[in-house]
Amino acid sequence: MTHAVRSSRDSDVLRRVNMVGAHGWDRSGFWAWSTGERLVVALVVGGIIHQLGGSGWGAVTDPEDQPSVILAGLGWTRTEAVQRWAGELFGGDISKTELWLATLANGIGEVAR
């Protein structure tokens, strides 16, 4: 079962993820986005990199630029970020949140292969 990208929120997340992929964290405007936007973009970029075998993606190739490092710099772990989004979007359901994140990452990861 997949979660199709159908909301303006999903489209906005994918637009921001593509900006990070094209320009990197700094030049994409990432640091000016809200905390929630930064968290979800880092989670989706992490999913894309995982799908591609961990070698990086687009402009995100430096080990210091990996999503886990970015999340830590924001003061969050991946688990905490997923829990935040689960509470906000899916009534605390981690499984639904993971599926949503994987679907977003898969949409871009497939194109990147």
XYZ file of all heavy atoms in Angstrom:
857
model
N 0.845 -1.173 0.000
C 0.000 0.000 0.000
C 0.890 1.235 0.000
O 1.805 1.355 0.783
C -0.864 -0.024 1.256
C -1.727 1.192 1.420
S -2.815 0.933 2.832
C -2.690 2.514 3.588
N 0.644 2.146 -0.897
C 1.431 3.366 -0.936
C 0.541 4.558 -0.667
O -0.668 4.509 -0.845
C 2.111 3.555 -2.309
O 1.111 3.646 -3.297
C 3.071 2.427 -2.605
N 1.160 5.612 -0.235
C 0.473 6.870 0.042
C 0.811 7.801 -1.113
O 1.944 8.230 -1.249
C 0.977 7.413 1.386
C 0.498 8.786 1.699
N 1.098 9.899 1.181
C -0.514 9.238 2.465
C 0.487 10.975 1.626
N -0.491 10.595 2.406
N -0.107 8.063 -1.974
C 0.153 8.927 -3.125
C 0.334 10.367 -2.668
O -0.307 10.809 -1.725
C -1.008 8.840 -4.112
N 1.225 11.057 -3.356
C 1.405 12.471 -3.065
C 0.155 13.171 -3.562
O -0.133 13.178 -4.742
C 2.661 13.021 -3.764
C 2.775 14.518 -3.536
C 3.891 12.300 -3.271
N -0.620 13.727 -2.632
C -1.890 14.311 -3.047
C -2.214 15.607 -2.345
O -3.184 16.244 -2.657
C -3.006 13.319 -2.861
C -3.130 12.841 -1.434
C -4.065 11.700 -1.317
N -3.500 10.833 -0.287
C -4.067 9.797 0.200
N -5.219 9.427 -0.233
N -3.502 9.087 1.111
N -1.437 15.972 -1.358
C -1.755 17.200 -0.660
C -0.764 18.290 -1.023
O 0.323 18.024 -1.505
C -1.735 16.970 0.856
O -0.405 16.810 1.298
N -1.157 19.513 -0.755
C -0.228 20.618 -0.996
C 0.966 20.504 -0.056
O 2.076 20.880 -0.420
C -0.937 21.964 -0.828
O -1.410 22.114 0.489
N 0.761 19.947 1.139
C 1.870 19.723 2.069
C 2.891 18.776 1.457
O 4.086 19.035 1.477
C 1.363 19.169 3.401
C 2.489 18.876 4.392
C 2.050 18.012 5.571
N 1.533 16.751 5.111
C 0.271 16.333 5.273
N -0.614 17.057 5.900
N -0.116 15.167 4.813
N 2.415 17.668 0.886
C 3.324 16.705 0.260
C 4.079 17.352 -0.896
O 5.290 17.171 -1.037
C 2.554 15.489 -0.256
C 1.973 14.623 0.857
O 2.159 14.951 2.052
O 1.335 13.623 0.522
N 3.373 18.103 -1.709
C 4.008 18.778 -2.842
C 5.054 19.775 -2.367
O 6.139 19.879 -2.953
C 2.960 19.494 -3.702
O 2.085 18.563 -4.272
N 4.754 20.495 -1.290
C 5.705 21.453 -0.743
C 6.942 20.744 -0.205
O 8.071 21.189 -0.431
C 5.050 22.292 0.354
C 5.978 23.365 0.880
O 6.443 24.202 0.069
O 6.275 23.360 2.089
N 6.749 19.634 0.486
C 7.887 18.865 1.007
C 8.763 18.416 -0.158
O 9.987 18.571 -0.119
C 7.414 17.657 1.847
C 8.578 16.721 2.145
C 6.747 18.117 3.128
N 8.159 17.862 -1.189
C 8.940 17.378 -2.335
C 9.675 18.516 -3.045
O 10.820 18.347 -3.470
C 8.041 16.620 -3.312
C 7.494 15.300 -2.778
C 6.550 14.673 -3.787
C 8.616 14.340 -2.418
N 9.049 19.669 -3.125
C 9.716 20.829 -3.735
C 10.952 21.200 -2.926
O 12.026 21.436 -3.468
C 8.743 22.011 -3.819
C 9.338 23.259 -4.473
C 8.331 24.410 -4.497
N 7.861 24.820 -3.179
C 8.565 25.589 -2.338
N 9.741 26.037 -2.665
N 8.057 25.916 -1.164
N 10.811 21.230 -1.617
C 11.937 21.582 -0.748
C 13.028 20.511 -0.792
O 14.224 20.826 -0.798
C 11.448 21.806 0.683
C 10.622 23.072 0.816
C 9.990 23.174 2.205
N 9.027 24.247 2.281
C 9.320 25.512 2.554
N 10.567 25.868 2.775
N 8.372 26.420 2.598
N 12.631 19.244 -0.814
C 13.609 18.153 -0.912
C 14.403 18.297 -2.213
O 15.632 18.164 -2.219
C 12.906 16.783 -0.828
C 13.828 15.658 -1.263
C 12.376 16.547 0.579
N 13.709 18.579 -3.298
C 14.402 18.759 -4.580
C 15.347 19.957 -4.546
O 16.418 19.918 -5.164
C 13.393 18.897 -5.717
C 12.880 17.563 -6.174
O 13.650 16.624 -6.350
N 11.576 17.460 -6.344
N 14.980 21.009 -3.828
C 15.869 22.167 -3.695
C 17.147 21.779 -2.971
O 18.248 22.184 -3.369
C 15.148 23.308 -2.967
C 14.075 23.964 -3.825
S 13.020 25.140 -2.922
C 14.185 26.282 -2.241
N 17.022 20.974 -1.912
C 18.210 20.514 -1.190
C 19.052 19.628 -2.092
O 20.285 19.747 -2.133
C 17.819 19.784 0.120
C 19.013 19.066 0.730
C 17.214 20.765 1.114
N 18.414 18.749 -2.844
C 19.153 17.879 -3.756
C 19.896 18.645 -4.838
O 21.005 18.295 -5.222
N 19.297 19.713 -5.300
C 19.910 20.507 -6.372
C 20.965 21.477 -5.861
O 21.970 21.714 -6.533
C 18.819 21.281 -7.116
N 20.757 22.039 -4.677
C 21.612 23.142 -4.218
C 22.339 22.885 -2.906
O 23.158 23.712 -2.499
C 20.773 24.415 -4.058
C 20.031 24.783 -5.289
N 20.643 25.242 -6.434
C 18.708 24.737 -5.581
C 19.738 25.476 -7.367
N 18.560 25.172 -6.880
N 22.024 21.812 -2.201
C 22.616 21.563 -0.894
C 21.816 22.244 0.202
O 20.876 22.986 -0.050
N 22.187 21.962 1.432
C 21.455 22.473 2.589
C 21.506 23.997 2.653
O 20.490 24.638 2.859
C 22.007 21.885 3.890
C 21.952 20.401 3.958
C 23.008 19.543 3.839
C 20.805 19.572 4.163
N 22.574 18.243 3.952
C 21.241 18.227 4.155
C 19.448 19.836 4.349
C 20.365 17.155 4.336
C 18.580 18.772 4.524
C 19.034 17.446 4.517
N 22.681 24.565 2.497
C 22.843 26.012 2.678
C 22.216 26.823 1.550
O 21.464 27.756 1.793
C 24.324 26.387 2.805
C 24.945 25.843 4.079
O 24.209 25.631 5.060
O 26.169 25.627 4.087
N 22.509 26.476 0.323
C 22.047 27.266 -0.814
C 20.573 27.051 -1.148
O 19.989 27.817 -1.909
C 22.919 26.969 -2.038
C 24.346 27.498 -1.825
C 25.245 27.340 -3.020
N 24.638 27.866 -4.219
C 24.716 27.261 -5.414
N 25.374 26.142 -5.550
N 24.144 27.810 -6.458
N 19.937 26.046 -0.562
C 18.513 25.788 -0.819
C 17.608 26.694 0.008
O 16.415 26.773 -0.254
C 18.177 24.335 -0.496
O 18.281 24.110 0.906
N 18.156 27.332 1.025
C 17.341 28.114 1.951
C 16.889 27.316 3.158
O 16.109 27.796 3.981
N 17.369 26.080 3.276
C 16.972 25.142 4.323
C 16.957 25.775 5.715
O 16.022 25.579 6.485
C 17.925 23.939 4.300
C 17.687 22.914 5.377
C 16.695 21.957 5.236
C 18.466 22.894 6.526
C 16.482 21.005 6.214
C 18.258 21.947 7.515
C 17.266 21.002 7.356
N 17.982 26.529 6.051
C 18.124 27.055 7.409
C 17.101 28.137 7.723
O 16.878 28.441 8.898
C 19.553 27.539 7.642
C 20.506 26.411 7.461
C 21.365 26.215 6.414
C 20.665 25.271 8.312
N 22.040 25.040 6.567
C 21.636 24.433 7.715
C 20.077 24.883 9.506
C 22.028 23.228 8.300
C 20.471 23.673 10.084
C 21.437 22.859 9.483
N 16.447 28.684 6.726
C 15.426 29.708 6.955
C 14.021 29.112 7.106
O 13.098 29.811 7.497
C 15.433 30.723 5.813
N 13.876 27.828 6.812
C 12.570 27.189 6.901
C 12.199 26.942 8.352
O 13.037 26.953 9.241
C 12.560 25.872 6.129
C 12.887 26.024 4.666
C 12.763 27.150 3.900
C 13.433 25.028 3.806
N 13.177 26.901 2.615
C 13.588 25.613 2.523
C 13.786 23.699 3.977
C 14.088 24.900 1.434
C 14.284 22.995 2.902
C 14.424 23.593 1.645
N 10.931 26.670 8.592
C 10.479 26.377 9.953
C 11.103 25.063 10.435
O 11.567 24.243 9.632
C 8.951 26.256 9.997
O 8.539 25.039 9.386
N 11.079 24.862 11.729
C 11.631 23.631 12.307
C 10.952 22.406 11.697
O 11.619 21.453 11.311
C 11.459 23.619 13.838
O 12.187 24.730 14.373
C 11.953 22.329 14.450
N 9.644 22.433 11.602
C 8.924 21.294 11.033
C 9.323 21.009 9.604
O 9.506 19.854 9.215
N 9.476 22.058 8.802
C 9.897 21.885 7.410
C 11.296 21.292 7.345
O 11.557 20.384 6.550
C 9.853 23.224 6.672
C 8.454 23.745 6.458
C 8.404 25.219 6.081
O 9.345 25.986 6.396
O 7.395 25.609 5.489
N 12.194 21.789 8.178
C 13.565 21.263 8.177
C 13.585 19.804 8.597
O 14.299 18.992 8.002
C 14.458 22.094 9.096
C 14.772 23.455 8.509
C 15.711 24.234 9.372
N 14.973 24.679 10.555
C 15.441 25.510 11.448
N 16.650 26.000 11.339
N 14.709 25.865 12.473
N 12.796 19.453 9.613
C 12.779 18.067 10.089
C 12.288 17.112 9.014
O 12.917 16.088 8.750
C 11.908 17.940 11.344
C 12.407 18.641 12.597
C 11.384 18.485 13.724
C 13.761 18.122 13.026
N 11.161 17.427 8.396
C 10.606 16.496 7.411
C 11.500 16.413 6.179
O 11.697 15.329 5.623
C 9.134 16.827 7.050
C 9.007 18.038 6.177
C 8.463 15.622 6.403
N 12.078 17.520 5.748
C 12.980 17.477 4.590
C 14.205 16.616 4.907
O 14.610 15.778 4.099
C 13.375 18.899 4.135
C 14.535 18.872 3.151
C 12.170 19.597 3.518
N 14.782 16.779 6.096
C 15.932 15.956 6.473
C 15.560 14.473 6.518
O 16.336 13.619 6.075
C 16.500 16.413 7.814
N 14.366 14.163 7.027
C 13.922 12.773 7.073
C 13.761 12.193 5.668
O 14.174 11.062 5.400
C 12.611 12.657 7.845
C 12.690 12.899 9.349
C 11.290 13.037 9.950
C 13.474 11.794 10.042
N 13.166 12.950 4.764
C 12.950 12.453 3.398
C 14.281 12.326 2.669
O 14.535 11.320 1.996
C 11.955 13.346 2.625
C 11.855 12.918 1.170
C 10.574 13.291 3.284
N 15.166 13.304 2.801
C 16.487 13.209 2.166
C 17.225 11.985 2.707
O 17.861 11.247 1.946
C 17.305 14.503 2.355
C 18.748 14.312 1.911
C 16.660 15.658 1.603
N 17.109 11.736 4.008
C 17.719 10.540 4.585
C 17.173 9.261 3.966
O 17.916 8.324 3.692
N 15.878 9.234 3.722
C 15.262 8.072 3.073
C 15.756 7.870 1.655
O 15.995 6.741 1.218
N 15.935 8.958 0.934
C 16.448 8.871 -0.439
C 17.868 8.322 -0.429
O 18.205 7.410 -1.196
C 16.403 10.253 -1.128
C 14.961 10.709 -1.316
C 17.143 10.219 -2.472
C 14.825 12.190 -1.659
N 18.703 8.874 0.437
C 20.093 8.419 0.516
C 20.143 6.947 0.907
O 20.930 6.176 0.336
C 20.893 9.310 1.486
C 21.066 10.698 0.864
C 22.239 8.683 1.824
C 21.665 11.742 1.777
N 19.304 6.537 1.827
C 19.243 5.124 2.219
C 18.866 4.248 1.019
O 19.483 3.206 0.789
C 18.253 4.935 3.369
C 18.110 3.519 3.785
N 19.066 2.859 4.520
C 17.125 2.622 3.544
C 18.680 1.610 4.713
N 17.496 1.446 4.136
N 17.868 4.667 0.253
C 17.443 3.906 -0.926
C 18.561 3.784 -1.958
O 18.662 2.790 -2.662
C 16.250 4.581 -1.608
C 14.955 4.414 -0.898
C 13.830 5.081 -1.665
O 13.947 5.407 -2.832
N 12.733 5.300 -0.974
N 19.389 4.804 -2.048
C 20.470 4.821 -3.027
C 21.736 4.154 -2.507
O 22.768 4.206 -3.163
C 20.771 6.262 -3.464
C 19.614 6.986 -4.152
C 19.985 8.433 -4.433
C 19.221 6.272 -5.439
N 21.668 3.540 -1.355
C 22.807 2.805 -0.822
C 23.736 3.609 0.061
O 24.868 3.197 0.301
N 23.284 4.771 0.509
C 24.061 5.548 1.457
C 25.193 6.354 0.878
O 26.020 6.877 1.612
N 25.261 6.497 -0.423
C 26.399 7.196 -1.038
C 26.163 8.686 -1.244
O 26.986 9.353 -1.835
C 26.720 6.549 -2.382
O 25.604 6.639 -3.246
N 25.070 9.192 -0.767
C 24.740 10.593 -0.980
C 23.731 10.730 -2.099
O 23.361 9.761 -2.766
N 23.302 11.965 -2.305
C 22.294 12.230 -3.329
C 22.402 13.677 -3.754
O 22.435 14.582 -2.907
C 20.901 11.932 -2.780
C 19.783 12.399 -3.636
C 19.429 11.901 -4.860
C 18.876 13.460 -3.363
N 18.342 12.592 -5.342
C 17.988 13.561 -4.452
C 18.725 14.344 -2.300
C 16.964 14.484 -4.508
C 17.705 15.281 -2.354
C 16.836 15.335 -3.455
N 22.463 13.912 -5.038
C 22.512 15.267 -5.552
C 23.642 16.057 -4.936
O 24.789 15.615 -4.919
N 23.324 17.207 -4.384
C 24.313 18.088 -3.761
C 24.631 17.678 -2.328
O 25.444 18.315 -1.673
C 23.814 19.534 -3.797
N 24.018 16.601 -1.835
C 24.248 16.131 -0.466
C 25.175 14.916 -0.533
O 24.726 13.780 -0.591
C 22.925 15.774 0.242
C 23.171 15.319 1.665
C 21.971 16.950 0.210
N 26.477 15.182 -0.578
C 27.439 14.099 -0.720
C 28.478 14.062 0.391
O 29.052 13.022 0.657
C 28.178 14.209 -2.071
O 28.792 15.493 -2.160
C 27.217 14.013 -3.235
N 28.731 15.168 1.043
C 29.717 15.252 2.110
C 29.192 14.532 3.349
O 28.048 14.741 3.744
C 29.976 16.731 2.427
C 31.134 16.944 3.373
O 31.308 16.136 4.317
O 31.867 17.922 3.172
N 30.017 13.685 3.983
C 29.562 13.001 5.200
C 29.056 13.960 6.285
O 28.160 13.617 7.047
C 30.807 12.251 5.679
C 31.617 12.051 4.446
C 31.359 13.266 3.582
N 29.593 15.167 6.335
C 29.140 16.141 7.324
C 27.769 16.712 6.975
O 27.150 17.382 7.799
C 30.150 17.274 7.458
C 31.460 16.830 8.060
C 32.460 17.949 8.181
O 32.080 19.129 8.087
O 33.639 17.640 8.374
N 27.306 16.472 5.776
C 26.009 16.973 5.320
C 24.919 15.909 5.341
O 23.833 16.134 4.828
C 26.115 17.518 3.895
C 26.830 18.849 3.829
O 26.950 19.511 4.873
O 27.271 19.215 2.731
N 25.210 14.746 5.892
C 24.214 13.691 5.914
C 23.044 14.095 6.817
O 23.220 14.821 7.799
C 24.840 12.376 6.377
C 25.869 11.852 5.406
C 25.351 11.738 3.979
O 24.385 11.043 3.708
N 25.994 12.431 3.045
N 21.853 13.649 6.494
C 20.665 14.045 7.258
C 20.761 13.802 8.760
O 20.283 14.616 9.541
C 19.547 13.225 6.623
C 20.007 13.065 5.210
C 21.493 12.863 5.314
N 21.397 12.721 9.178
C 21.513 12.473 10.621
C 22.355 13.552 11.298
O 22.056 13.963 12.424
C 22.116 11.093 10.890
O 23.413 10.992 10.310
N 23.377 14.045 10.603
C 24.210 15.125 11.134
C 23.406 16.426 11.177
O 23.475 17.189 12.148
C 25.497 15.287 10.295
C 26.310 16.488 10.749
C 26.330 14.013 10.343
N 22.624 16.670 10.124
C 21.789 17.865 10.073
C 20.761 17.836 11.214
O 20.574 18.817 11.927
C 21.089 18.004 8.703
C 22.130 18.156 7.575
C 20.076 19.125 8.701
C 22.990 19.391 7.650
N 20.101 16.691 11.399
C 19.118 16.562 12.481
C 19.782 16.790 13.845
O 19.233 17.500 14.687
C 18.455 15.185 12.450
C 17.392 14.970 11.382
C 17.002 13.497 11.309
C 16.176 15.829 11.632
N 20.957 16.205 14.046
C 21.664 16.385 15.319
C 21.999 17.861 15.537
O 21.882 18.367 16.658
C 22.932 15.533 15.349
N 22.382 18.546 14.470
C 22.669 19.973 14.569
C 21.442 20.785 14.948
O 21.552 21.848 15.555
N 20.271 20.275 14.577
C 19.018 20.925 14.944
C 18.562 20.528 16.352
O 17.578 21.051 16.859
C 17.919 20.560 13.938
C 18.110 21.058 12.512
C 17.082 20.427 11.574
C 18.011 22.580 12.472
N 19.283 19.570 16.950
C 18.937 19.119 18.298
C 17.909 18.005 18.334
O 17.252 17.812 19.354
N 17.771 17.274 17.228
C 16.782 16.211 17.134
C 17.449 14.912 16.706
O 18.400 14.917 15.938
C 15.723 16.547 16.082
C 14.858 17.701 16.418
C 15.204 19.019 16.406
C 13.491 17.666 16.796
N 14.133 19.804 16.757
C 13.067 18.998 16.995
C 12.573 16.643 16.973
C 11.773 19.322 17.369
C 11.282 16.971 17.344
C 10.894 18.296 17.540
N 16.897 13.788 17.154
C 17.260 12.491 16.600
C 16.221 12.152 15.532
O 15.149 12.780 15.476
C 17.235 11.379 17.669
O 15.881 11.221 18.131
C 18.167 11.708 18.825
N 16.512 11.161 14.726
C 15.539 10.736 13.721
C 14.249 10.283 14.411
O 13.149 10.626 13.988
C 16.101 9.608 12.855
C 15.114 9.205 11.768
C 15.582 8.002 10.960
N 14.707 7.802 9.815
C 13.477 7.293 9.895
N 12.967 6.937 11.059
N 12.744 7.155 8.800
N 14.392 9.511 15.473
C 13.218 9.005 16.206
C 12.350 10.148 16.715
O 11.123 10.110 16.571
C 13.669 8.106 17.370
O 14.414 7.003 16.831
C 12.485 7.592 18.175
N 12.971 11.157 17.304
C 12.209 12.304 17.813
C 11.502 13.048 16.686
O 10.350 13.461 16.833
C 13.141 13.270 18.540
C 13.688 12.731 19.842
C 14.836 13.571 20.392
O 15.497 14.308 19.627
O 15.066 13.484 21.609
N 12.175 13.199 15.553
C 11.571 13.902 14.415
C 10.377 13.119 13.867
O 9.336 13.699 13.561
C 12.617 14.147 13.328
N 10.522 11.809 13.764
C 9.406 10.977 13.287
C 8.242 11.057 14.270
O 7.083 11.195 13.867
C 9.858 9.512 13.067
C 8.664 8.603 12.819
C 10.843 9.425 11.899
N 8.533 11.006 15.556
C 7.476 11.095 16.566
C 6.749 12.436 16.487
O 5.525 12.491 16.640
C 8.053 10.890 17.961
C 8.463 9.476 18.235
C 9.222 9.314 19.537
O 9.775 10.266 20.080
N 9.267 8.082 20.030
N 7.482 13.503 16.243
C 6.852 14.825 16.126
C 5.856 14.830 14.978
O 4.722 15.280 15.119
C 7.905 15.905 15.899
C 7.264 17.288 15.755
C 8.183 18.218 14.982
N 7.716 19.583 14.989
C 6.953 20.109 14.038
N 6.540 19.375 13.035
N 6.582 21.359 14.076
N 6.282 14.333 13.810
C 5.388 14.310 12.655
C 4.242 13.326 12.850
O 3.122 13.578 12.399
C 6.172 14.030 11.372
C 6.766 15.308 10.878
C 8.052 15.735 11.034
C 6.082 16.365 10.213
N 8.206 16.993 10.501
C 7.014 17.402 9.983
C 4.774 16.546 9.791
C 6.670 18.591 9.348
C 4.435 17.729 9.154
C 5.380 18.732 8.942
N 4.504 12.218 13.512
C 3.419 11.260 13.788
C 2.335 11.924 14.616
O 1.145 11.766 14.341
C 3.979 10.034 14.510
N 2.742 12.678 15.623
C 1.773 13.365 16.469
C 1.015 14.445 15.726
O -0.179 14.654 15.939
N 1.701 15.115 14.819
C 1.076 16.226 14.093
C 0.136 15.761 12.988
O -0.911 16.364 12.765
C 2.167 17.111 13.495
C 1.630 18.374 12.871
C 2.724 19.365 12.528
O 3.633 19.564 13.334
O 2.641 19.924 11.417
N 0.513 14.696 12.308
C -0.249 14.303 11.111
C -1.064 13.018 11.239
O -2.064 12.862 10.554
C 0.704 14.125 9.922
C 1.477 15.345 9.471
C 2.386 14.980 8.317
C 0.535 16.459 9.081
N -0.599 12.095 12.069
C -1.199 10.767 12.046
C -1.615 10.278 13.432
O -1.594 9.078 13.702
C -0.227 9.768 11.402
C 0.117 10.114 9.977
C 1.346 10.685 9.669
C -0.787 9.902 8.956
C 1.666 11.027 8.363
C -0.479 10.242 7.653
C 0.751 10.803 7.351
N -2.004 11.181 14.302
C -2.486 10.808 15.625
C -1.493 9.989 16.432
O -1.898 9.153 17.233
N -0.215 10.187 16.185
C 0.825 9.464 16.913
C 1.213 8.135 16.295
O 2.056 7.424 16.841
N 0.621 7.780 15.162
C 0.886 6.489 14.526
C 2.232 6.534 13.779
O 2.342 7.096 12.699
C -0.245 6.145 13.560
C -0.169 4.722 13.035
O 0.947 4.229 12.791
O -1.240 4.111 12.842
N 3.241 5.906 14.369
C 4.592 5.890 13.799
C 4.603 5.135 12.466
O 5.261 5.558 11.518
C 5.602 5.257 14.790
C 5.662 6.054 16.097
C 6.985 5.114 14.163
C 6.215 7.441 15.986
N 3.879 4.027 12.372
C 3.866 3.227 11.135
C 3.353 4.037 9.952
O 3.931 3.993 8.862
C 3.011 1.974 11.310
O 3.552 1.143 12.288
N 2.272 4.769 10.162
C 1.730 5.601 9.081
C 2.711 6.705 8.705
O 2.851 7.047 7.534
C 0.394 6.216 9.478
C -0.752 5.236 9.466
C -2.062 5.921 9.802
C -3.203 4.922 9.792
N -4.479 5.556 10.143
N 3.384 7.253 9.693
C 4.354 8.312 9.434
C 5.529 7.772 8.637
O 5.969 8.395 7.666
C 4.845 8.928 10.758
O 3.702 9.342 11.512
C 5.763 10.108 10.515
N 6.037 6.614 9.029
C 7.148 5.992 8.292
C 6.743 5.686 6.847
O 7.528 5.885 5.922
C 7.628 4.723 8.995
C 8.319 4.955 10.319
C 9.734 5.499 10.209
O 10.209 5.825 9.105
O 10.390 5.597 11.264
N 5.515 5.225 6.651
C 5.021 4.948 5.304
C 4.956 6.237 4.479
O 5.375 6.269 3.318
C 3.648 4.282 5.355
C 2.995 3.982 4.004
C 3.853 3.034 3.175
C 1.603 3.407 4.225
N 4.448 7.302 5.078
C 4.373 8.596 4.400
C 5.765 9.075 4.002
O 5.988 9.468 2.849
C 3.679 9.599 5.321
C 3.634 11.000 4.829
C 2.960 11.466 3.736
C 4.275 12.143 5.409
N 3.146 12.838 3.609
C 3.947 13.262 4.622
C 5.083 12.321 6.525
C 4.403 14.550 4.929
C 5.525 13.595 6.825
C 5.191 14.688 6.024
N 6.719 9.018 4.933
C 8.083 9.451 4.634
C 8.715 8.588 3.544
O 9.367 9.101 2.635
C 8.941 9.420 5.906
C 8.572 10.428 6.982
C 9.271 10.084 8.294
C 8.907 11.844 6.535
N 8.520 7.278 3.626
C 9.086 6.369 2.621
C 8.485 6.620 1.246
O 9.183 6.569 0.231
C 8.863 4.918 3.048
N 7.196 6.902 1.204
C 6.538 7.180 -0.071
C 7.088 8.450 -0.701
O 7.361 8.494 -1.903
C 5.013 7.285 0.119
O 4.547 6.048 0.655
C 4.306 7.569 -1.188
N 7.280 9.488 0.103
C 7.863 10.722 -0.413
C 9.287 10.473 -0.914
O 9.651 10.909 -2.008
C 7.860 11.810 0.664
C 6.500 12.353 1.081
C 6.647 13.292 2.276
C 5.798 13.054 -0.065
N 10.089 9.761 -0.126
C 11.467 9.470 -0.518
C 11.506 8.594 -1.765
O 12.323 8.812 -2.665
C 12.212 8.785 0.626
N 10.608 7.630 -1.836
C 10.582 6.721 -2.972
C 10.252 7.459 -4.259
O 10.805 7.168 -5.311
C 9.577 5.599 -2.737
C 9.677 4.523 -3.788
O 10.767 4.029 -4.066
N 8.554 4.134 -4.350
N 9.372 8.430 -4.169
C 9.003 9.206 -5.367
C 10.190 9.891 -5.998
O 10.305 9.975 -7.217
N 11.097 10.389 -5.173
C 12.284 11.059 -5.704
C 13.403 10.059 -5.920
O 14.124 10.128 -6.900
C 12.725 12.186 -4.751
C 11.658 13.272 -4.747
C 14.077 12.764 -5.187
C 11.893 14.378 -3.773
N 13.557 9.099 -5.018
C 14.618 8.110 -5.115
C 14.544 7.315 -6.411
O 15.565 7.001 -7.022
N 13.338 6.991 -6.859
C 13.180 6.258 -8.118
C 13.708 7.062 -9.294
O 14.337 6.527 -10.202
C 11.713 5.894 -8.347
C 11.192 4.803 -7.447
C 11.865 3.463 -7.693
O 12.101 3.121 -8.871
O 12.159 2.774 -6.708
N 13.460 8.348 -9.300
C 13.931 9.211 -10.377
C 15.445 9.337 -10.344
O 16.101 9.392 -11.381
C 13.281 10.621 -10.265
C 13.859 11.581 -11.254
C 11.771 10.500 -10.443
N 16.045 9.324 -9.136
C 17.483 9.527 -8.980
C 18.301 8.316 -9.409
O 19.479 8.437 -9.671
C 17.793 9.866 -7.521
N 17.677 7.148 -9.486
C 18.431 5.930 -9.845
C 18.819 5.913 -11.284
O 18.296 6.413 -12.159
C 17.604 4.706 -9.530
C 17.509 4.504 -8.053
C 16.720 3.299 -7.724
N 16.359 3.483 -6.324
C 15.692 2.623 -5.630
N 15.284 1.520 -6.168
N 15.419 2.836 -4.389
